[in-house]
Amino acid sequence: MQALRGLCAFPITPADAEGRIVEADLRRILSRIVRAQVDSIGLLGSTGNYAYLPLDERRRALEIALDAVGGRMPVIVGVGALRTGDAEALARHAREAGAQGLLLAPMTYQPLTADEIVTHFARVAEAGGLPLVIYNNPTTTRVTMDVALLARLAALPHVAGVKMPLPAADAFEAEIATLRDALPAGFVIGYSGDWGCSRALMARADTWFSVAAGLWPDTTLTLSCAASAGDAASTRQAEERFQPLWDLFRRHGSLRVIHTAARLMDLTETDPQPPVLPLPDSELPALRAAIRAMER
Amino acid sequence: MQALRGLCAFPITPADAEGRIVEADLRRILSRIVRAQVDSIGLLGSTGNYAYLPLDERRRALEIALDAVGGRMPVIVGVGALRTGDAEALARHAREAGAQGLLLAPMTYQPLTADEIVTHFARVAEAGGLPLVIYNNPTTTRVTMDVALLARLAALPHVAGVKMPLPAADAFEAEIATLRDALPAGFVIGYSGDWGCSRALMARADTWFSVAAGLWPDTTLTLSCAASAGDAASTRQAEERFQPLWDLFRRHGSLRVIHTAARLMDLTETDPQPPVLPLPDSELPALRAAIRAMER
């Protein structure tokens, strides 16, 4: 599906301590993304703190975003929830509100069986009736999706793509070949984990699901285009300025880093939702340096 | 704290497909526990499906339970939530409703830092103002609590005990000695993982947090008393009938097994909350045999 290819920017979702969306901040962050003309927006991903926001505020965030974007690019939205019924309700709302696609992670408390995961995805995909991207993120869901499980999920109606975590030892070519072989023709295979995604694109992945693009869409688009074109020299050059940021992402998790960066850049005064805390003060000098590098 | 010692029975929370508590079923299951005179009730633990129930139904379940128990034994209640604010609100409600203690697991989506976990526990413990048991369950929370983290949590006001997972290689004596050394005097050290808990009690753990006691309180109390008394022969004898049940617990997770057992025993017509599914039909003969063994 074309809407799911290229660079997908994941904005933070600015919200106050009670979880209420700060509309002006969300619009400000989205306007930067829209102006940069990336390929799509991934609202309420892990970076968008979806797992920690009240359900009614998640609906409100989507409505604000769709209004702010005004159809200028596709908006796909995270509808993951521990309760299947909650995820179904969010998926129905997303379609009614006018979203272009869904992201669904198998959030877990009880370790789930493969059958439970497949049943959950089938019900949510059916409720939404929109192209759905499997959110394969073992760091947050603790679900390790093997190729057999991905193939079962990809065979469900509406399931159109997968957001993969970075493979071990940078084995993008082998992994993408295995996935293309096991998954339906045209199935979208994208990656997250910003620091590895230029290599994913050079190995012909379809999509980069990017945290950095939520805050620096222009700079990230430059890198994404170079990597998608297979231009190794330009990719290396474009990527240089990202290194201090990648380093902080790896050490603290991208959510804490990017949310604190947005605050330092005066785009919001909000913090991540507790229990998640902002980056420790001791890292603010390193973060300021990383921001300067991105804006050089 | 005396109310947290001995055998703590964890009932299921019967609820319909929309997550609404089925009051008559909950009262029926609680009346068996009260009649058996176990030491306490652990409402809305993992077995009670707390992570999958709507917040307002969790409040309702506690109010029903406190009314049904009528002060005849202490009720401690799980107040875990992904959002710190939700857990705080549940803790406040628990105190106002009249619960005797709280259970708190560090539910996770984003992997949390030690500082984030400590801050979360401090806020929820403060909001509740009741004796709080740390719910240390890496299988569901994916948080591995080392002794240093437990010591930080145990130093917080109101934190009074810990529910530990079974140690590797049955090393109860060594682990309990280490914990007694690191944690405040009188701190309650209990275990869950039913199939290992008689050994925990024989090694002088304070509490057995028991799934089986939620459905078979009498039989489990017999085993618990024998093990607490250090009577190895009676413990072995009392435990024999549990073996088919333990075997199913280990293979399928105790929640699926116990909820399906309650249904086979005509105590409820409900299933676990999706995405969690009941025990597969292929295991019903084994479950029926396990129930017969328990009731022999």
Side-chain angles (χ1 to χ4, degrees):
Chain A
M1 195 219 169
Q2 203 49 42
L4 302 175
R5 292 171 200 278
L7 180 63
C8 180
F10 279 68
I12 63 166
T13 315
D16 68 16
E18 278 70 47
R20 285 181 299 246
I21 308 301
V22 179
E23 176 168 351
D25 295 0
L26 179 57
R27 287 182 179 271
R28 188 178 305 120
I29 287 164
L30 288 168
S31 73
R32 294 161 60 99
I33 298 173
V34 170
R35 217 163 40 222
Q37 297 188 281
V38 300
D39 297 291
S40 63
I41 292 173
L43 194 77
L44 292 168
S46 295
T47 303
N49 242 336
Y50 79 95
Y52 292 97
L53 288 168
L55 297 178
D56 52 345
E57 292 295 321
R58 290 172 64 177
R59 293 189 187 91
R60 199 171 145 245
L62 176 60
E63 290 162 12
I64 293 168
L66 289 169
D67 182 68
V69 173
R72 287 172 287 176
M73 57 183 58
V75 174
I76 60 178
V77 60
V79 295
L82 280 169
R83 276 183 68 74
T84 302
D86 287 344
E88 288 178 291
L90 290 168
R92 272 191 294 271
H93 170 265
R95 186 191 56 223
E96 287 158 12
Q100 279 72 41
L102 307 177
L103 283 165
L104 181 62
M107 286 179 68
T108 49
Y109 180 73
Q110 292 289 341
L112 299 177
T113 66
D115 283 351
E116 287 171 338
I117 292 170
V118 171
T119 305
H120 180 76
F121 271 75
R123 285 181 56 175
V124 178
E126 168 70 23
L130 292 174
L132 182 147
V133 176
I134 303 163
Y135 205 153
N136 182 10
N137 185 349
T139 305
T140 54
T141 66
R142 286 79 184 186
V143 172
T144 301
M145 291 185 167
D146 57 20
V147 175
L149 177 56
L150 287 173
R152 285 182 70 186
L153 295 175
L156 296 171
H158 310 298
V159 178
V162 62
K163 173 180 158 304
M164 293 290 292
L166 300 178
D170 277 356
F172 290 100
E173 280 80 3
E175 180 171 277
I176 291 173
T178 303
L179 292 172
R180 295 246 182 261
D181 202 47
L183 304 177
F187 198 80
V188 170
I189 298 170
Y191 281 83
S192 64
D194 274 357
W195 55 91
C197 285
S198 67
R199 294 191 296 285
L201 291 176
M202 294 191 72
R204 306 232 169 262
D206 299 307
T207 313
W208 176 6
F209 298 100
S210 171
V211 175
L215 205 49
W216 295 283
D218 291 298
T219 317
T220 311
L221 189 57
T222 302
L223 172 56
S224 170
C225 289
S228 291
D231 180 341
S234 302
T235 299
R236 247 194 325 274
Q237 196 192 342
E239 200 154 35
E240 221 163 85
R241 67 176 65 187
F242 286 85
Q243 296 308 334
L245 188 69
W246 293 171
D247 183 47
L248 285 166
F249 278 12
R250 278 187 295 245
R251 282 193 287 125
H252 295 283
S254 51
L255 166 60
R256 294 177 188 87
V257 176
I258 208 80
H259 209 117
T260 308
R263 188 166 178 152
L264 292 184
M265 291 161 71
D266 291 325
L267 294 168
T268 184
E269 292 180 0
T270 66
D271 283 323
Q273 296 292 299
V276 181
L277 297 175
L279 205 62
D281 285 350
S282 57
E283 289 284 27
L284 294 185
L287 180 56
R288 285 204 183 85
I291 294 171
R292 278 195 305 273
M294 288 298 290
E295 296 180 346
R296 203 156 48 206
Chain B
M1 194 217 168
Q2 203 49 41
L4 301 175
R5 294 172 198 277
L7 180 63
C8 179
F10 278 68
I12 63 166
T13 315
D16 68 16
E18 278 70 48
R20 286 181 300 247
I21 307 302
V22 179
E23 176 168 349
D25 294 1
L26 179 56
R27 287 182 179 271
R28 189 178 304 121
I29 287 164
L30 289 169
S31 73
R32 294 162 60 98
I33 298 173
V34 170
R35 219 165 36 222
Q37 298 188 281
V38 300
D39 297 292
S40 63
I41 292 174
L43 195 78
L44 293 168
S46 296
T47 303
N49 242 335
Y50 79 94
Y52 293 97
L53 288 168
L55 297 179
D56 52 346
E57 292 295 322
R58 290 172 64 177
R59 293 189 187 91
R60 200 172 143 243
L62 176 59
E63 290 162 12
I64 293 167
L66 289 169
D67 182 67
V69 173
R72 286 171 288 175
M73 58 182 58
V75 174
I76 60 178
V77 60
V79 295
L82 280 169
R83 276 183 67 75
T84 302
D86 287 344
E88 288 177 292
L90 289 168
R92 272 190 295 271
H93 170 265
R95 185 190 55 220
E96 288 158 12
Q100 280 72 43
L102 308 177
L103 282 165
L104 182 63
M107 287 179 68
T108 49
Y109 180 74
Q110 293 288 341
L112 299 177
T113 65
D115 283 351
E116 287 170 339
I117 292 171
V118 171
T119 305
H120 180 76
F121 271 75
R123 283 181 55 175
V124 179
E126 168 70 23
L130 292 174
L132 183 148
V133 176
I134 303 162
Y135 205 153
N136 182 10
N137 186 349
T139 306
T140 54
T141 65
R142 286 79 182 184
V143 171
T144 301
M145 291 184 167
D146 57 20
V147 175
L149 178 56
L150 287 173
R152 284 181 70 186
L153 295 175
L156 296 170
H158 309 298
V159 177
V162 62
K163 174 182 159 301
M164 293 291 291
L166 300 178
D170 276 357
F172 290 100
E173 278 81 4
E175 180 171 277
I176 292 173
T178 303
L179 292 172
R180 294 247 182 259
D181 201 47
L183 304 177
F187 199 79
V188 171
I189 297 171
Y191 281 83
S192 64
D194 275 357
W195 54 91
C197 285
S198 66
R199 293 191 296 286
L201 292 176
M202 293 189 72
R204 306 233 167 263
D206 299 307
T207 314
W208 176 5
F209 299 100
S210 170
V211 175
L215 206 49
W216 296 281
D218 289 298
T219 317
T220 311
L221 189 57
T222 302
L223 172 56
S224 169
C225 289
S228 290
D231 179 342
S234 302
T235 300
R236 245 193 326 274
Q237 197 192 341
E239 199 155 36
E240 222 163 84
R241 67 176 64 189
F242 286 84
Q243 296 307 333
L245 187 69
W246 293 171
D247 183 47
L248 285 166
F249 278 12
R250 279 187 295 246
R251 282 194 287 125
H252 294 284
S254 51
L255 167 60
R256 294 175 188 87
V257 176
I258 208 79
H259 208 117
T260 309
R263 189 167 177 150
L264 292 185
M265 292 161 70
D266 291 325
L267 295 168
T268 185
E269 292 180 2
T270 65
D271 283 325
Q273 295 293 299
V276 181
L277 297 175
L279 205 62
D281 284 351
S282 57
E283 289 285 27
L284 295 186
L287 179 56
R288 286 203 183 86
I291 294 171
R292 277 195 305 274
M294 288 298 288
E295 297 179 345
R296 201 152 52 204

